[in-house]
Amino acid sequence: MRWLGLAAEPEDQRAFLFPALVEALARAGPRVLISGSADEAMAAMVVEAGVAASCTPVITALDRCATPLAINQSYAEHARVALSAVQTDILAYRPANSFDVIVTHSFLGQFDTAGRSRLIATWFALLASGGRVITVVRLRPAGTTTSFSGEAADRLAAEVRRRAAEHTREIEISPSDLGDAAHEYAQQRSPSHAVRDIEELVALFVGAGFELLHAQIREWPGRVSGIEGPGLPRGGRYAEIVAERR
């Protein structure tokens, strides 16, 4: 989905994420937790930021699903990167050591308001003094929970087939089969909970004890239109947050 340009990814908000990671690695330290992971994209950006910061990051990728963790481990083996994969719920995670940086992309939308409060409090507990959270999430002022309707699932599958047909030499699965898989994914995809505004996020981080170093909104044009559903790279206003545990 990401390769076909149909999944939101860290590169979409690179203008914010990359310099924030460089500064955090240089100032806070090398121990990085990727809190929620779809694939290796965030780990690759952390490694690149480490080069720019003259810092060798030690990465922990955490997710409830084994598939993204396997992808991260494969990437780490090929890139010779220090990466540990942990399959668990972030809210239940209690590691022996703390982290210097926690980074996420479009992860806050997986939680309702009460869940976000617990998540941010968990991040605070996982960080060392001076550690930072770096995160970005799309704002949806209407406040609606987003999931794929039957029509949207059909449109997504059709778009996957169309794009895959343009790259038959690069992929080892037929466009038809890939479209069927995308349709099944859309039907099973968990809904996304709306983050209405940046003020909500600021209040949650401050309430958990963080100091906000950066809290801004940036417009992003998006890379897909005509399909409504969670996880798609749709345009809109995105909240950028850097918060520090003092």
Side-chain angles (χ1 to χ4, degrees), residues 226-243:
I227 308 172
E228 288 287 348
L232 297 176
R234 295 185 58 83
R237 305 170 78 223
Y238 284 75
E240 305 170 346
I241 299 289
V242 180

Side-chain angles (χ1 to χ4, degrees), residues 147-207:
S147 58
F148 284 98
S149 66
E151 181 182 0
D154 292 342
R155 288 184 178 180
L156 179 65
E159 184 63 13
V160 166
R161 293 187 186 102
R162 186 188 71 79
R163 297 192 184 196
E166 298 175 352
H167 300 280
T168 53
R169 293 188 177 183
E170 292 98 329
I171 57 179
E172 298 179 354
I173 182 172
S174 74
S176 177
D177 288 346
L178 199 58
D180 291 346
H183 193 275
E184 182 178 357
Y185 154 79
Q187 291 180 312
Q188 298 179 356
R189 176 68 157 79
S190 299
S192 176
H193 300 278
V195 178
R196 291 176 178 268
D197 52 53
I198 197 169
E199 289 77 15
E200 172 192 341
L201 296 178
V202 169
L204 288 172
F205 276 96
V206 171

Side-chain angles (χ1 to χ4, degrees), residues 58-201:
V58 179
I59 303 170
T60 298
L62 181 146
D63 202 273
R64 293 187 304 176
C65 179
T67 302
L69 300 178
I71 295 171
N72 271 279
Q73 287 180 313
S74 178
Y75 159 76
E77 290 170 6
H78 285 88
R80 297 183 180 179
V81 171
L83 184 147
S84 299
V86 177
Q87 185 178 2
T88 189
D89 186 324
I90 181 64
L91 299 179
Y93 185 42
R94 298 294 182 269
N97 299 310
S98 55
F99 295 94
D100 302 308
V101 182
I102 297 175
V103 62
T104 78
H105 180 265
S106 296
F107 186 58
L108 285 162
Q110 303 302 312
F111 299 82
D112 60 17
T113 301
R116 280 178 214 138
S117 182
R118 292 179 61 202
L119 172 65
I120 293 170
T122 298
W123 285 345
F124 187 88
L126 292 174
L127 282 172
S129 179
R132 297 183 179 185
V133 168
I134 302 167
T135 190
V136 60
V137 63
R138 184 183 174 204
L139 300 177
R140 290 189 278 128
T144 54
T145 298
T146 303
S147 58
F148 284 98
S149 66
E151 181 182 0
D154 292 342
R155 288 184 178 180
L156 179 65
E159 184 63 13
V160 166
R161 293 187 186 102
R162 186 188 71 79
R163 297 192 184 196
E166 298 175 352
H167 300 280
T168 53
R169 293 188 177 183
E170 292 98 329
I171 57 179
E172 298 179 354
I173 182 172
S174 74
S176 177
D177 288 346
L178 199 58
D180 291 346
H183 193 275
E184 182 178 357
Y185 154 79
Q187 291 180 312
Q188 298 179 356
R189 176 68 157 79
S190 299
S192 176
H193 300 278
V195 178
R196 291 176 178 268
D197 52 53
I198 197 169
E199 289 77 15
E200 172 192 341
L201 296 178

Side-chain angles (χ1 to χ4, degrees), residues 29-47:
R31 299 169 298 176
V32 179
L33 173 65
I34 299 174
S35 178
S37 177
D39 52 35
E40 83 289 355
M42 183 62 82
M45 186 179 289
V46 170
V47 171

